[in-house]
Amino acid sequence: MSERPDRRPSPSAAKRTGWRRPAAPATPPPGSPASPQPAPAAPAPPNHRSVIDSAVYRDGRRVASPTTLADTFRRLREEPDGMAWIGLHRPTEPELHSLAAEFNLHELAVEDALEAHQRPKLERYGDTLFVVLRAARYLDAQEEVDFGELHVFVGPDFLITVRHGGAPDLSTVRHRMEETPELLRLGPEAALYAILDAVVDGYAPVVEGVQTDIDEIETEVFRGDPAVSRRIYELSREMVEFQRATRPLVGMLHGLMAGFAKYGTDEELQRYLRDVADHVTHTSERVDGFRQALTEILTVNATLVSQQQNAEMRALAEAGFEQNEEIKKISSWAAILFAPTLVGTIYGMNFSSMPELSWHFGYPFAILLMAVVCVSLYVIFKKRDWL
């Protein structure tokens, strides 16, 4: 998208009187109903601090650090040329509704910020820009990618960040911007671009961590680790989430760049955003490459597992074949030895009325018979390769 809050041509022209609320509520004429007052900030639940940091800036320098949303609203009204930067972490519904009433936030954007689990997007509601970002960080101990969600409301004189999850660390972004007041005085857009830069820079350690994981997975695949398939699958799912975080961001940044001329974006911010767009494009291409590499690794692993299974089946078949050969040899010799045993057993019964018992050639005939049977069986088994 190319819609963004109207830029001021220079800091000296940053009056924004058409966008600001009155510095002090006007006194209603006698007899008229009282003017509605902005809803006060709801108290945070015990053991939970939603407002991480809240500050009012003038000319790029912090002039107030209110501790409550109500104090922030009041202090901002006292600074006609000021800008409020409110950082929230998992705010309550009353807190977001008080912000919506004070800064005229659209109810659909507020609903998205409450529910979270949104895709990265950029939408404009009147003078307010609503941006959803998916931040990521690499957890070395678990060797996995942790995703966070960040919602940003950008108005003419305010910037509100609603963070869901551990990433990103916006305190570092705020500190860096406060050290460069010449950039911060350009308004909420400058802070938005700094946040975009922090989110995209946070992808770099994730990319390096994933690259290391892929290198390790390749080693495990060729080493035959049986648990590598699960690791490939889990990392592939994380890369799907990573793609969902980076791909929409490419279009969002190019949409912002397309509106440079229309909205009179400061030259410094234009260079800033182009650099962020280059980084996120590079990251998106790396993530696409990771998914392709993991798909190929999974294919190679399946092939290697199949080859290993085939080798094991072939080894089992060869073992079975060898066992059958041994059984045939044993059976052949058992048959050969059975023949003389049978003849000898019959002629050893010593019955007085047995034929050939008194025959003069009985013994040589029995020996010859056993030899003929044994030799015949041996020749038969040999021709059949049993011996």
Side-chain angles (χ1 to χ4, degrees):
M1 293 180 61
S2 59
E3 287 91 345
R4 299 159 36 190
D6 296 341
R7 287 298 312 156
R8 300 171 298 284
S10 65
S12 61
K15 297 301 181 184
R16 297 171 292 179
T17 54
W19 292 331
R20 293 300 303 267
R21 298 164 302 285
T27 304
S32 64
S35 301
Q37 298 296 321
N47 303 324
H48 177 76
R49 177 175 172 80
S50 299
V51 181
I52 303 302
D53 195 0
S54 180
V56 177
Y57 300 89
R58 184 178 62 244
D59 292 332
R61 299 186 183 278
R62 185 187 287 241
V63 295
S65 301
T67 57
T68 65
L69 294 179
D71 290 342
T72 303
F73 303 157
R74 177 185 57 79
R75 194 68 176 86
L76 182 59
R77 295 191 200 101
E78 297 172 356
E79 297 290 340
D81 298 326
M83 179 193 82
W85 185 344
I86 303 172
L88 305 173
H89 180 249
R90 292 194 177 97
T92 62
E93 185 173 351
E95 287 174 330
L96 275 182
H97 285 167
S98 70
L99 288 167
E102 178 69 20
F103 296 112
N104 195 26
L105 305 180
H106 197 278
E107 58 181 5
L108 293 179
V110 173
E111 182 180 352
D112 288 345
L114 278 172
E115 294 180 356
H117 304 293
Q118 303 294 317
R119 63 176 180 84
K121 61 182 178 179
L122 184 149
E123 296 178 348
R124 182 179 176 87
Y125 300 97
D127 292 333
T128 302
L129 197 65
F130 179 59
V131 181
V132 179
L133 303 172
R134 294 292 305 276
R137 60 177 178 173
Y138 185 79
L139 305 179
D140 290 324
Q142 294 85 357
E143 292 187 343
E144 62 183 23
V145 183
D146 177 51
F147 294 94
E149 191 168 331
L150 179 64
H151 301 246
V152 185
F153 296 90
V154 184
D157 58 351
F158 66 89
L159 183 137
I160 303 169
T161 59
V162 180
R163 184 161 53 91
H164 297 272
D169 182 10
L170 296 181
S171 61
T172 303
V173 179
R174 187 190 292 262
H175 180 69
R176 187 173 73 249
M177 292 297 291
E178 290 178 349
E179 289 182 342
T180 55
E182 65 278 2
L183 186 60
L184 186 56
R185 69 164 55 100
L186 295 177
E189 274 189 334
L192 172 62
Y193 293 163
I195 292 173
L196 288 169
D197 184 60
V199 171
V200 174
D201 285 348
Y203 293 154
V206 178
V207 169
E208 297 303 321
V210 172
Q211 181 64 67
T212 301
D213 286 346
I214 291 178
D215 293 340
E216 293 176 354
I217 285 174
E218 289 178 340
T219 302
E220 292 173 359
V221 164
F222 290 101
R223 195 170 54 197
D225 191 338
V228 70
S229 297
R230 181 181 181 87
R231 189 177 181 186
I232 296 173
Y233 175 74
E234 292 175 348
L235 190 57
S236 297
R237 291 188 60 184
E238 291 177 354
M239 289 305 96
V240 171
E241 290 295 322
F242 209 176
Q243 277 187 324
R244 292 174 180 172
T246 57
R247 275 187 175 177
L249 192 55
V250 175
M252 290 164 52
L253 293 176
H254 283 84
L256 288 175
M257 292 193 308
F260 282 164
K262 180 179 179 180
Y263 296 98
T265 306
D266 184 85
E267 289 291 336
E268 181 66 20
L269 294 184
Q270 291 186 29
R271 289 190 289 268
Y272 204 172
L273 188 60
R274 288 192 189 98
D275 181 68
V276 176
D278 290 341
H279 288 174
V280 75
T281 301
H282 176 71
T283 300
S284 181
E285 291 173 351
R286 291 287 302 275
V287 175
D288 291 343
F290 289 156
R291 281 208 65 188
Q292 182 65 30
L294 287 171
T295 301
E296 294 174 355
I297 291 173
L298 190 60
T299 302
V300 171
N301 182 63
T303 302
L304 293 177
V305 170
S306 178
Q307 290 177 349
Q308 182 179 0
Q309 292 176 345
N310 291 339
E312 292 175 354
M313 293 296 295
R314 186 166 54 251
L316 290 175
E318 291 176 354
F321 178 76
E322 293 177 357
Q323 185 176 13
N324 289 337
E325 292 298 317
E326 295 298 326
I327 291 175
K328 288 191 293 184
K329 291 179 180 180
I330 294 173
S331 301
S332 300
W333 286 112
I336 293 172
L337 295 176
F338 174 74
T341 303
L342 177 63
V343 176
T345 301
I346 292 175
Y347 281 93
M349 290 188 292
N350 296 324
F351 289 108
S352 57
S353 59
M354 281 183 62
E356 299 97 14
L357 188 62
S358 301
W359 187 28
H360 182 72
F361 297 101
Y363 176 74
F365 175 77
I367 297 299
L368 179 62
L369 179 61
M370 289 187 285
V372 170
V373 173
C374 290
V375 171
S376 300
L377 291 175
Y378 180 83
V379 172
I380 293 172
F381 293 144
K382 192 68 174 178
K383 286 183 178 181
R384 295 184 177 183
D385 293 329
W386 283 33
L387 292 175

